[in-house]
Amino acid sequence: MNRTLYTLLFHLGLPLVALRLYLRSRKAPAYARRIGERFGLNLPALQPGGIWVHAVSVGESIAAAPMIRALLQRYPQLPITVTCMTPTGSERIQALFGDEPRIQHCYLPYDLPWAAARFLQRARPQLAVIMETELWPNHIHQCARRGIPVALANARLSARSAKGYARFAGLTRPMLAEMSLIAVQTETEAERFRQLGARPECVQVTGSIKFDLTIDAQLPVRARALREQWQALQRPVWIAASTHEGEDEVILAAHRQLLAHHSDALLILVPRHPERFDSVHALCAGQFTTVRRAAGAPVTADDQVLLGDTMGELLFLYAVADIAFVGGSLVPNGGHNLLEPAALARPVLSGPHLFNFLEIALMLREGGALCEVDDAQGLATEVRRLIELPRDALKMGEAGVAVMRANQGALKRLLDGLGTLLRL
């Protein structure tokens, strides 16, 4: 498949795109808003001539935040346009940068030549920075036509994804050849990009900028204050975060087993996607005394589950808990960011499906900061062990912080690489 055929198929598939938007809007009404932006129409006024950063959704937006702040500091004369594809990503961007006058935001239009051209005509960036692996052939080609260098930042590419791209070499090779910088997390991923067609001189191993996460000194203070408000300083609290469909039942089964030994244990359950908040609440409330974080009511001694149904609080809720399980890993989704709880010195648990974070998982596992489980029994056993052996929990937490510190510096290497592409 080449880019012409891809574009034709994309146009033919637009009715399905519209249907998908409609179906998603039934669960998340925000998908029905700002539809024009998705086609390059009704875009907000954008100050041209700056840097364009694309972060597809919430996770990428959070990962991009330190880079964006550093770019604001390095280039005080440039505006930064931050795009995403989801309402939750949009909310996170506005929460992170709503008070920064040089940050401007809209949805990235669909990958259609005319929609991409409309967006670029409005933004006219000097540099495009795409987070992780959100590769859109027409957007990249339209940038190349205009002489706009495109960088892929904090890039990752699993073996499974590489096989998928390789099946469409006629589309993938020209697209990667048009990119000016591919800043990858590991040498393994660098070689995958080279084999797919990226120019070797444009591929650099910079490491993962997620290791450069900095924790606000007030975050643990606020977390402890909340535990005091709940009168739960001595109560075991564990969190299962970024869970996907099919995982919540396993986690609740583990919590039931845990309660047989520690009847005062509290589970903080945080679904990955907001449209699942209500259904997961119903699942929890059918089995346990459950309180919703969004309701604002304090947790009492009788509550067994706190549903984390707010946006932008995940790092804070990790700080509130004693032990962290990171979801997307009991089902074959590839896992989520293991480094956030590690940075807070929390022992980290996950399922076996970590193909999106293999190198990071290996570092944490070998460093003694990560334990993987397969099912409810294994999860309950590990949480119980860490409750009953606090020295083991402390050791795992300290190991996570050590791994974080040993691998920092990726952000500076990335910024240096981006600096070579800016013509100032």
Side-chain angles (χ1 to χ4, degrees):
M1 179 190 293
N2 59 24
R3 191 170 48 80
T4 301
L5 179 57
Y6 162 81
T7 301
L8 174 62
L9 293 174
F10 204 132
H11 278 96
L12 293 175
L14 282 177
L16 295 177
V17 171
L19 177 61
R20 182 172 181 268
L21 270 180
Y22 169 72
L23 292 175
R24 298 202 75 171
S25 70
R26 295 181 68 180
K27 291 185 176 181
Y31 275 98
R33 306 184 193 113
R34 297 165 57 193
I35 291 176
E37 291 180 24
R38 298 184 183 276
F39 295 92
L41 305 170
N42 303 319
L43 292 169
L46 299 175
Q47 184 182 348
I51 301 170
W52 161 37
V53 176
H54 178 62
V56 61
S57 191
V58 175
E60 293 78 7
S61 300
I62 294 171
M67 180 193 71
I68 293 171
R69 292 191 181 100
L71 288 170
L72 286 168
Q73 187 173 4
R74 280 200 179 196
Y75 306 104
Q77 75 280 26
L78 295 182
I80 298 180
T81 302
V82 185
T83 61
C84 67
M85 298 293 285
T86 67
T88 52
S90 179
E91 289 175 12
R92 189 88 295 265
I93 290 165
Q94 293 177 67
L96 286 167
F97 300 108
D99 58 350
E100 173 50 64
R102 285 192 291 134
I103 295 291
Q104 41 200 18
H105 164 65
C106 65
Y107 284 138
L108 180 68
Y110 290 128
D111 195 36
L112 301 163
W114 48 271
R118 284 176 183 271
F119 167 74
L120 291 174
Q121 181 59 33
R122 179 65 64 93
R124 282 182 280 162
Q126 297 184 42
L127 170 66
V129 183
I130 302 169
M131 290 300 298
E132 300 193 353
T133 321
E134 185 76 2
L135 298 172
W136 295 110
N138 281 318
H139 277 288
I140 292 169
H141 181 65
Q142 291 294 324
C143 284
R145 284 185 60 188
R146 291 163 172 77
I148 302 167
V150 179
L152 190 61
N154 209 43
R156 57 185 175 90
L157 187 66
S158 68
R160 187 167 75 169
S161 295
K163 285 183 180 179
Y165 280 115
R167 283 197 293 268
F168 302 98
L171 184 65
T172 301
R173 294 188 76 84
M175 173 184 67
L176 292 178
E178 289 183 323
M179 301 191 73
S180 300
L181 173 65
I182 299 176
V184 300
Q185 299 185 23
T186 68
E187 178 56 40
T188 300
E189 289 161 315
E191 183 57 29
R192 288 174 188 149
F193 276 107
R194 294 187 197 107
Q195 290 179 358
L196 287 172
R199 290 175 289 161
E201 67 273 17
C202 296
V203 181
Q204 296 181 19
V205 180
T206 55
S208 174
I209 65 174
K210 292 182 178 179
F211 283 108
D212 290 289
L213 174 67
T214 56
I215 302 297
D216 184 343
Q218 288 302 306
L219 189 70
V221 176
R222 292 194 295 112
R224 182 178 175 83
L226 185 63
R227 289 279 291 263
E228 287 178 345
Q229 180 186 335
W230 293 347
Q231 298 182 352
L233 287 178
Q234 304 304 317
R235 184 179 185 183
V237 179
W238 69 292
I239 183 171
S242 296
T243 63
H244 287 247
E245 188 172 356
E247 291 187 304
D248 306 290
E249 294 85 353
V250 177
I251 289 158
L252 293 175
H255 190 51
R256 182 169 297 284
Q257 293 179 39
L258 181 65
L259 288 172
H261 301 278
H262 297 276
S263 60
D264 60 340
L266 174 68
L267 165 65
I268 303 174
L269 181 56
V270 187
R272 177 72 175 179
H273 299 111
E275 56 265 31
R276 296 184 58 244
F277 286 164
D278 289 342
S279 61
V280 175
H281 175 258
L283 183 67
C284 295
Q287 305 176 54
F288 301 96
T289 306
T290 303
V291 62
R292 299 183 71 146
R293 173 72 175 155
V299 172
T300 69
D302 294 328
D303 294 318
Q304 299 167 310
V305 176
L306 170 65
L307 181 70
D309 57 349
T310 52
M311 297 300 297
E313 278 202 317
L314 183 55
L315 200 62
F316 175 64
L317 293 177
Y318 274 135
V320 170
D322 306 309
I323 301 159
F325 171 84
V326 181
S329 57
L330 286 170
V331 294
N333 190 72
H336 289 295
N337 189 354
L338 301 165
L339 298 177
E340 290 178 331
L344 287 159
R346 298 299 183 263
V348 183
L349 307 175
S350 81
H353 301 288
L354 294 169
F355 51 81
N356 285 333
F357 297 90
L358 286 177
E359 297 283 345
I360 289 174
L362 179 63
M363 291 178 194
L364 291 173
R365 192 186 307 115
E366 290 184 343
L370 171 67
C371 179
E372 295 170 33
V373 300
D374 295 317
D375 51 26
Q377 177 65 50
L379 181 56
T381 298
E382 284 304 315
V383 175
R384 181 185 173 189
R385 178 180 70 84
L386 292 168
I387 291 172
E388 296 175 356
L389 299 173
R391 288 187 179 180
D392 284 9
L394 180 63
K395 187 177 179 180
M396 281 185 71
E398 291 174 343
V401 172
V403 171
M404 291 286 292
R405 289 175 177 164
N407 288 279
Q408 289 175 344
L411 180 58
K412 182 182 184 303
R413 291 188 288 271
L414 172 61
L415 291 169
D416 290 345
L418 296 178
T420 65
L421 303 179
L422 277 170
R423 298 182 295 271
L424 298 177

